[in-house]
Amino acid sequence: MATVKAKQLLGQLLIERGLLSPGDLERALVEQKRSGEFLGSVLMRLGIVAKEQLLPVLAEQMGIPYVHLSDMQIEPDALAKVPPKFASLYRLMPLTLEHNTLQVAIADPFDVQTLDELRLLLDCEVKPVFAMQKEIEEAIARHYGVGASAVERLLDTGTHQAAPITQAAEDLTAKPDEASVISFVNQLLLSAAHDRATDIHIEPFEQLLRVRERIDGVMYEMAVPVDLAKLHQAIVSRIKVMAKMDIAEKRLPQDGRIKVRLDVQELDLRISVLPTNFGESVVVRLLSSTMLFSLEQLGLSGDQLDILSSLIQKPHGIIFVTGPTGSGKTTTLYACLSTLNRPNVKILTIEDPIEYQLTGITQLQVHPKIGFSFAAGLRSMLRHDPDIMMVGEVRDSETAEITIRSALTGHLVFSTLHTNDASGGVTRLLDMGIEPYLVSSTVLAFVGQRLVRVICPDCKVIDDAPVMLDLARGEQVPPTVYKGKGCEACRGSGYRGRIGIYEILVLDEMVRHLIMQKAPAEAIKQKLLEAGWKSMRQDGWQKVAMGITTPEEVLRVTMDD
């Protein structure tokens, strides 16, 4: 009878909070009577109440506290009491330890067996509190380190060897033997993918193995077990086997790639291994098809989008995208090519490396070791009757000359230059020995760009004390400036995601005249600003005024302007 009352009490509590209707409660009670399950389990199985809604109410009904682990201070003594393999196996997080009473966060309030087993294994009293399963898993990774359970088991068993892989696309969500290097590497990649990381850096030092990830262009330390350095060589060997590298060669740099599957999404991983004085350092770059954007998604302002959309419809000429490494140049080029990708147009690209596979576009990978360079590839591409060509990067005078001549023969060409801004692209081509008349007659535009971090929408607030700027160039802080306070969703950074800021230097008569006079980049930029041209910095201030990013971000990426 007491059990029936408890069930009715849970139902009434849910009705009072507007989470359940009387009719749904009646239906759930009928199903509960048939199946013999707890009422809460029936409500979740039928999809009537979500677990996130049910757990706080259930905690109240049972008289057990409900907590958010992100707000909890985890005691080191409690962590030391529960080994990583127990925390992972039983899906619980130790919180405090006082007078031989261990407080643990659990997600399943009906799992009495787990608490009884834990009392026997740890020889202490166990006091449960409720928390969401996702928060528990994140807390385990944060406090014990990614893959801590697998590392502990490996060190206990002495199994430090990497297992081979045969399938074309490794499924990261598959569950191999927990005590294996495969398990740890899979968990490392999964954690980075869930964090939206673009790169993982595995760096050996004398006493430790540091693992970092790059998120939104900024490096963050990943929480890993302290004894991970003992498994360094096994981890590197596993990654090299997956990337089909030579695991016996430890003296030379190597590059490779891996295809992995994460749920329904496939990731393309680019691997770079460098020999260092403390062992091999590994960088894994994570590429996903979801990173392909349209022109409208890049962050171009309305007038910039109109200009670029008009330029890419030209029948011939060159459009250069400029900026340092990691500024999103290739993403912009792919967005342009995706817009132009039609059955009646032949598009060829030559890249190093091919970052994304574009259906309908023929892509070539350079191989300098066998003499297939950008210049050599360009010569062959011209014999394939293309309408549009993309050259991954103009690095030398030979490539620049062939690219220019491709535009002269009636092709629309896209490429990149490593310069700080759009006007610097002019100087770079002249320095490569390209005649001014060729630059002025073939280049349509230089597009300069940077990536700035976007303010996290979950913790966005008005900034009462924005950074003050140098007003000598007519720049000023917008009336209202926003910032991110920092929250769990953005890892406390105040930013989540990135967007581009741009400047588009179209070669009109004034610019062509300056090029013919071999005017320096700064002189070209000054003339443009006097004529009302919008620079990259000014585009950044516009995004600050729109509440998209912060003055600090704009200053960080345009400090050289």
Side-chain angles (χ1 to χ4, degrees):
M1 180 66 83
T3 306
V4 173
K5 280 188 176 180
K7 289 171 186 172
Q8 289 175 339
L9 178 59
L10 175 61
Q12 290 303 317
L13 286 170
L14 291 169
I15 289 173
E16 289 172 12
R17 284 157 178 73
L19 301 174
L20 187 66
S21 68
D24 284 336
L25 174 59
E26 198 63 40
R27 181 160 64 97
L29 287 171
V30 171
E31 174 61 20
Q32 183 272 333
K33 187 176 181 180
R34 186 195 65 79
S35 65
E37 298 173 85
F38 287 104
L39 178 61
S41 299
V42 172
L43 290 169
M44 288 188 293
R45 179 166 58 81
L46 295 178
I48 298 172
V49 179
K51 189 172 185 178
E52 294 83 356
Q53 299 170 316
L54 178 66
L55 201 55
V57 179
L58 193 58
E60 179 184 340
Q61 185 224 7
M62 297 180 70
I64 298 177
Y66 174 77
V67 300
H68 290 287
L69 293 183
S70 57
D71 302 329
M72 298 290 293
Q73 189 72 32
I74 310 298
E75 290 185 3
D77 289 346
L79 283 175
K81 184 72 174 176
V82 181
K85 57 186 176 186
F86 284 0
S88 179
L89 176 65
Y90 292 115
R91 295 186 173 186
L92 55 84
M93 184 66 201
L95 303 177
T96 62
L97 179 64
E98 187 174 355
H99 304 306
N100 207 37
T101 298
L102 179 71
Q103 186 185 59
V104 297
I106 60 173
D108 187 353
F110 309 117
D111 191 0
V112 181
Q113 182 181 350
T114 289
L115 297 176
D116 290 340
E117 288 181 10
L118 207 60
R119 290 186 182 99
L120 289 172
L121 289 168
L122 301 178
D123 191 24
C124 67
E125 184 57 39
V126 178
K127 180 182 175 183
V129 299
F130 287 164
M132 291 302 302
Q133 184 64 56
K134 182 181 178 184
E135 291 190 20
I136 292 173
E137 291 171 357
E138 290 174 350
I140 291 172
R142 187 164 61 249
H143 292 281
Y144 286 107
V146 176
S149 173
V151 170
E152 183 183 35
R153 289 168 182 265
L154 280 166
L155 294 176
D156 285 347
T157 59
T159 309
H160 295 187
Q161 299 303 313
I165 175 174
T166 55
Q167 61 263 47
E170 174 80 351
D171 186 358
L172 297 185
T173 55
K175 296 191 180 297
D177 173 21
E178 190 178 2
S180 70
V181 176
I182 294 177
S183 176
F184 174 78
V185 172
N186 283 4
Q187 288 180 54
L188 188 68
L189 296 174
L190 274 169
S191 177
H194 288 151
D195 289 345
R196 300 180 300 104
T198 54
D199 303 89
I200 306 170
H201 295 247
I202 302 172
E203 305 161 308
F205 296 95
E206 188 173 10
Q207 300 295 333
L208 63 94
L209 184 65
R210 183 169 70 175
V211 182
R212 296 189 290 172
E213 57 186 347
R214 189 181 296 278
I215 303 172
D216 295 335
V218 178
M219 297 282 273
Y220 294 91
E221 290 261 8
M222 294 183 76
V224 294
V226 292
D227 292 331
L228 190 62
K230 297 176 183 177
L231 299 177
H232 170 228
Q233 192 51 58
I235 293 167
V236 174
S237 296
R238 166 61 182 165
I239 293 172
K240 288 169 78 172
V241 167
M242 291 173 73
K244 297 180 174 56
M245 296 179 179
D246 183 355
I247 61 171
E249 180 55 74
K250 299 179 174 64
R251 302 163 300 169
L252 296 174
Q254 294 189 63
D255 295 305
R257 63 187 298 178
I258 308 168
K259 278 201 174 220
V260 297
R261 194 165 57 255
L262 174 59
D263 297 324
V264 296
Q265 178 188 8
E266 276 204 356
L267 294 176
D268 196 3
L269 310 183
R270 303 302 168 87
I271 315 299
S272 176
V273 178
L274 288 176
T276 74
N277 54 335
F278 295 116
E280 292 174 291
S281 178
V282 181
V283 173
V284 180
R285 187 170 192 197
L286 292 81
L287 299 172
S288 167
S289 59
T290 59
M291 295 300 291
L292 286 172
F293 297 100
S294 65
L295 284 177
E296 291 76 16
Q297 295 173 309
L298 294 177
L300 294 156
S301 63
D303 56 338
Q304 290 173 335
L305 181 60
D306 291 341
I307 293 170
L308 187 56
S309 298
S310 174
L311 287 169
I312 66 175
Q313 299 299 331
K314 300 283 186 182
H316 54 80
I318 307 175
I319 297 173
F320 282 107
V321 181
T322 71
T325 301
S327 59
K329 299 186 298 298
T330 303
T331 301
T332 299
L333 289 181
Y334 281 176
C336 293
L337 293 181
S338 296
T339 302
L340 297 170
N341 189 11
R342 300 184 299 271
N344 61 338
V345 175
K346 171 83 169 184
I347 303 177
L348 292 177
T349 76
I350 181 164
E351 307 169 57
D352 184 22
I354 297 172
E355 294 198 9
Y356 301 103
Q357 305 288 341
L358 299 174
T359 303
I361 295 176
T362 304
Q363 298 171 268
L364 285 69
Q365 166 77 53
V366 302
H367 292 286
K369 289 182 180 178
I370 59 173
F372 188 59
S373 62
F374 277 112
L378 270 168
R379 292 191 186 94
S380 299
M381 286 166 66
L382 288 170
R383 292 192 286 272
H384 267 250
D385 188 29
D387 300 295
I388 299 169
M389 302 164 65
M390 193 265 271
V391 183
E393 182 186 347
V394 171
R395 299 176 179 174
D396 51 57
S397 56
E398 185 182 13
T399 306
E401 185 177 346
I402 300 173
T403 303
I404 292 284
R405 298 203 178 279
S406 299
L408 283 172
T409 54
H411 301 89
L412 179 62
V413 184
F414 296 89
S415 190
T416 68
L417 285 169
H418 279 182
T419 63
N420 286 331
D421 54 18
S423 58
V426 176
T427 308
R428 179 61 53 85
L429 290 176
L430 296 179
D431 289 344
M432 286 181 181
I434 304 300
E435 292 295 334
Y437 78 91
L438 287 175
V439 176
S440 63
S441 61
T442 58
V443 178
L444 297 173
F446 294 93
V447 180
Q449 72 175 78
R450 295 285 195 284
L451 293 176
V452 294
R453 290 182 291 173
V454 174
I455 299 170
C456 174
D458 291 348
C459 60
K460 183 176 177 180
V461 295
I462 293 176
D463 190 352
D464 296 325
V467 62
M468 297 306 296
L469 308 176
D470 180 5
L471 305 183
R473 296 169 65 177
E475 297 165 351
Q476 59 183 351
V477 179
T480 304
V481 174
Y482 294 88
K483 68 176 182 180
K485 288 192 304 182
C487 64
E488 187 178 353
C490 62
R491 301 168 59 97
S493 68
Y495 300 98
R496 195 162 87 231
R498 288 190 291 176
I499 196 170
I501 58 173
Y502 298 87
E503 60 185 21
I504 303 178
L505 194 168
V506 178
L507 270 66
D508 57 16
E509 288 305 317
M510 181 187 76
V511 176
R512 290 193 179 98
H513 179 69
L514 291 169
I515 291 173
M516 294 302 293
Q517 293 180 327
K518 295 188 176 181
E522 191 57 40
I524 296 174
K525 187 169 187 175
Q526 189 59 41
K527 286 286 187 184
L528 288 166
L529 289 170
E530 290 171 3
W533 177 71
K534 184 168 74 174
S535 70
M536 203 162 13
R537 174 84 69 95
Q538 290 166 342
D539 187 41
W541 298 142
Q542 186 175 333
K543 288 180 171 62
V544 170
M546 295 167 65
I548 296 172
T549 189
T550 64
E552 293 90 340
E553 270 298 286
V554 175
L555 286 173
R556 181 178 69 86
V557 302
T558 62
M559 196 59 74
D560 295 333
D561 286 9

